Amino acid sequence: MSIYLKNATFIDWQTLEFKNTSIKVNSGIDRGFDFIDNYSVLTGDEVIDCSGKYVTKSFACGHHHVYSALARGMNAPKQQPTNFYEILKYIWWTLDKCLDKDSIEASALVTAIACAKNGVTFAIDHHASPLAVDGSLEIIANAFEKVGVSHLLCYEISDRDGIEIAQKGLSETENYLKTNQGLVGLHASFTISDNTLENAVNLTKKYNSGLHIHVAEDKYDEEHCIKNYNKQVVERLYDFGVLNFSKTILGHCLHLENKEKELIKNSNAWVVQNSESNLNNNVGYFNSRGLGKNIMLGTDGMHSDMLRSAKAAFYVGQGFDLIDYPEFYRRFRNVHQYLNSNNFSGDGENNLVVLNYDTPTDFNSNNFLGHFLFGIEAKHVQHVISQGKLIVKDKKVTTVNENEILDFSKEQGIRLWERMSKITY
Ligand SMILES: [Zn+2]
């Protein structure tokens, strides 16, 4: 069974070359497609008329948080946060402690649906649910697979809720890595003891994985590290070997000294930028100077729209970073390089998005980047193909019943908020 995209304008995501063609998309993991103008359609094939539409590689998110999906519309915390640490304590650590199996499943399903409808067919997630650690990654993986979105998951190991829960995070990670591709997640330097950090690095080596950790998102992370370990955050991570893995992802990296940037630049580790989250938390601005080329983009759980993240990186970057048209597109697409160079599966060439882009001006290979920045938005995503399967058709998810899932997630949201209202800080 194949999908046949008839009379499309194909845009090669790497060369930006435009080609008028029809495309037969092969189904299955990490497969490709063929340009065939006279394909004899077989029973069971899906033919989609793509006249006037643009087809290109679908998108991927370098840093997401399923756990925050049910936060939208919840009450303000009982105490108003006055800094980054209090934002975590009063909001996110209150929320994650109240997650249970059902609310994790609801969070994962609505996140996967949002990804799919935004043309995102692969998500790298960083999950925390300290009172429901066991089996949480499997729940998320199943939900993503139901919707048809590929994934690279990790559990956010931390000592913030005690040694026992840190140990549960390590065990959950190991159980998951035995049979799945994934990463070893760590919250951030300021909530991880030396012992937990060492255990996490050993686990990473054992499963030939990488670490996924927040780094210097706020100045607090650096201040804590200097005070407690007499070194900068990246120096601490470097000393434990976190930067030795090409699968390692360092989130944010806002408040780094030059010597820390140098360590990252000289490693194969990756940095993930999340501009809108940084604006929302008022923690600072990303600056790529000195960090090297391994920079990709994420949403940090704020939403699942990678086109929006790319635009934010460009706009915020005008005041704080070196980012021009080619660079913003390079960062947007770098996640594919991260995934493919590390041999993760699920981001094959048969992941495609069909854009119904009603451009008012000529659109071609030479001015693609201008259109990508100022014109193309998630609203133009008409159809989405993931692993050769049509998961969004005419803006509707085909794989699951979206209305039923939204009813379920609303119900879970109310239960979650009730539990949160009973938490004392
Ligand atoms: Zn994050």
Side-chain angles (χ1 to χ4, degrees), residues 63 65 67 126 214 217 252 300:
H63 182 74
H65 292 296
Y67 70 70
H126 198 263
H214 297 113
E217 180 174 0
H252 302 295
D300 207 20

Side-chain angles (χ1 to χ4, degrees), residues 300-371:
D300 207 20
M302 287 191 71
H303 55 75
S304 300
D305 180 352
M306 286 306 299
L307 292 170
R308 193 172 133 188
S309 284
K311 290 170 209 299
F314 181 85
Y315 299 138
V316 176
Q318 296 313 298
F320 299 94
D321 190 5
L322 283 174
I323 186 164
D324 56 10
Y325 287 17
E327 175 61 14
F328 110 98
Y329 184 72
R330 201 183 64 80
R331 282 186 211 172
F332 173 79
R333 289 299 192 183
N334 256 350
V335 60
H336 309 303
Q337 202 200 319
Y338 167 80
L339 293 169
N340 293 318
S341 65
N342 283 307
N343 294 316
F344 288 120
S345 69
D347 189 45
E349 289 304 307
N350 58 349
N351 290 350
L352 295 165
V353 64
V354 180
L355 301 168
N356 186 9
Y357 176 47
D358 47 349
T359 174
T361 57
D362 191 35
F363 181 29
N364 57 57
S365 190
N366 296 323
N367 67 13
F368 171 85
L369 295 175
H371 282 271

Side-chain angles (χ1 to χ4, degrees), residues 182-245:
L183 297 173
V184 177
L186 289 168
H187 170 245
S189 171
F190 65 94
T191 72
I192 301 158
S193 65
D194 279 352
N195 188 40
T196 299
L197 187 48
E198 196 184 342
N199 288 337
V201 172
N202 288 339
L203 201 55
T204 308
K205 281 185 203 151
K206 186 173 173 186
Y207 289 92
N208 185 27
S209 184
L211 293 114
H212 188 175
I213 178 172
H214 297 113
V215 175
E217 180 174 0
D218 185 77
K219 283 198 179 104
Y220 178 81
D221 198 12
E222 292 287 8
E223 288 161 4
H224 180 278
C225 203
I226 297 275
K227 198 175 153 199
N228 290 276
Y229 306 102
N230 200 27
K231 54 180 96 165
Q232 303 288 141
V233 171
V234 178
E235 289 178 306
R236 182 174 180 228
L237 299 179
Y238 176 83
D239 288 347
F240 276 87
V242 172
L243 272 62
N244 291 344
F245 310 96

Side-chain angles (χ1 to χ4, degrees), residues 81-98:
T82 57
N83 56 44
F84 176 69
Y85 186 83
E86 289 178 2
I87 290 175
L88 294 178
K89 195 172 166 195
Y90 300 159
I91 301 174
W92 300 112
W93 297 347
T94 300
L95 182 147
D96 67 24
K97 276 203 274 287
C98 294

